[in-house]
Amino acid sequence: SVEVSVFFSREVSLTNGTISNFMTADNTTFTFDVTAQDNGEVEISIPEGVAEDHVANENLASNELIITVDQTNPAVTISSLETSPTNAASIPITITFSEEISVFSSNDVSITNGTISSFSTADNIVYTFNAQPTITAGSLTISVAEDVTSDLAGNENEASNQISLTI
């Protein structure tokens, strides 16, 4: 590394982001913060010829740093092919997340007047189970509260819709 005489934040090539706190203590190592403008790839690089050393030698182009940003909370939808009212002893339920999530179990499902069996997933996006009513008359309700799981980037889920079937 060689000390450069002129190098400013505007010389950084940046896609889908903004730069702040651009600083150096020695004109050799520069640091700055990048804030993503939107979900997707943030691309950062230093083009060739934007900085010079004390004898006017220009810099070579840097490598390109690409970071994928995900700031969206996963949405959750609960559905069933069973219609209300029903007298079914076992009701198939599907819970679908808008993207892959990290950890989710039957304990994360709120169910009133029923129990859960055969809880499974093949992809950490779509979960299926059977709901068995524990009442002979009334409402079976199922929902997922917000913040019970997160996507692979750590964004916690939104609350689901609630389904209610009259038994």
Side-chain angles (χ1 to χ4, degrees):
S1 295
V2 176
E3 187 176 320
V4 294
S5 57
V6 178
F7 181 62
F8 300 101
S9 64
R10 67 178 175 264
E11 270 95 44
V12 177
S13 176
L14 178 61
T15 302
N16 189 29
T18 58
I19 293 175
S20 61
N21 302 318
F22 187 86
M23 62 184 77
T24 184
D26 59 8
N27 285 335
T28 301
T29 302
F30 293 79
T31 61
F32 52 91
D33 297 324
V34 173
T35 302
Q37 292 174 323
D38 202 359
N39 286 336
E41 292 185 345
V42 176
E43 302 174 10
I44 308 163
S45 64
I46 310 298
E48 180 178 350
V50 297
E52 295 180 351
D53 66 13
H54 70 282
V55 291
N57 294 315
E58 294 182 342
N59 70 291
L60 300 175
S62 73
N63 62 314
E64 184 174 52
L65 176 63
I66 299 174
I67 299 170
T68 302
V69 174
D70 173 2
Q71 300 172 330
T72 302
N73 299 61
V76 189
T77 304
I78 302 176
S79 60
S80 178
L81 297 177
E82 192 67 38
T83 58
S84 186
T86 183
N87 63 355
S90 184
I91 302 167
I93 304 292
T94 301
I95 297 177
T96 305
F97 289 88
S98 58
E99 61 182 302
E100 185 175 353
I101 57 169
S102 57
V103 177
F104 186 68
S105 74
S106 61
N107 294 333
D108 298 318
V109 178
S110 297
I111 185 166
T112 303
N113 297 324
T115 60
I116 295 173
S117 67
S118 304
F119 188 87
S120 67
T121 185
D123 59 8
N124 292 335
I125 298 173
V126 177
Y127 292 78
T128 59
F129 64 91
N130 293 317
Q132 284 81 33
T134 55
I135 57 172
T136 56
S139 292
L140 170 74
T141 60
I142 302 168
S143 63
V144 175
E146 68 180 339
D147 302 339
V148 297
T149 188
S150 60
D151 65 14
L152 303 180
N155 301 305
E156 294 181 326
N157 69 286
E158 298 175 351
S160 73
N161 60 307
Q162 177 180 296
I163 64 169
S164 182
L165 297 169
T166 301
I167 307 300

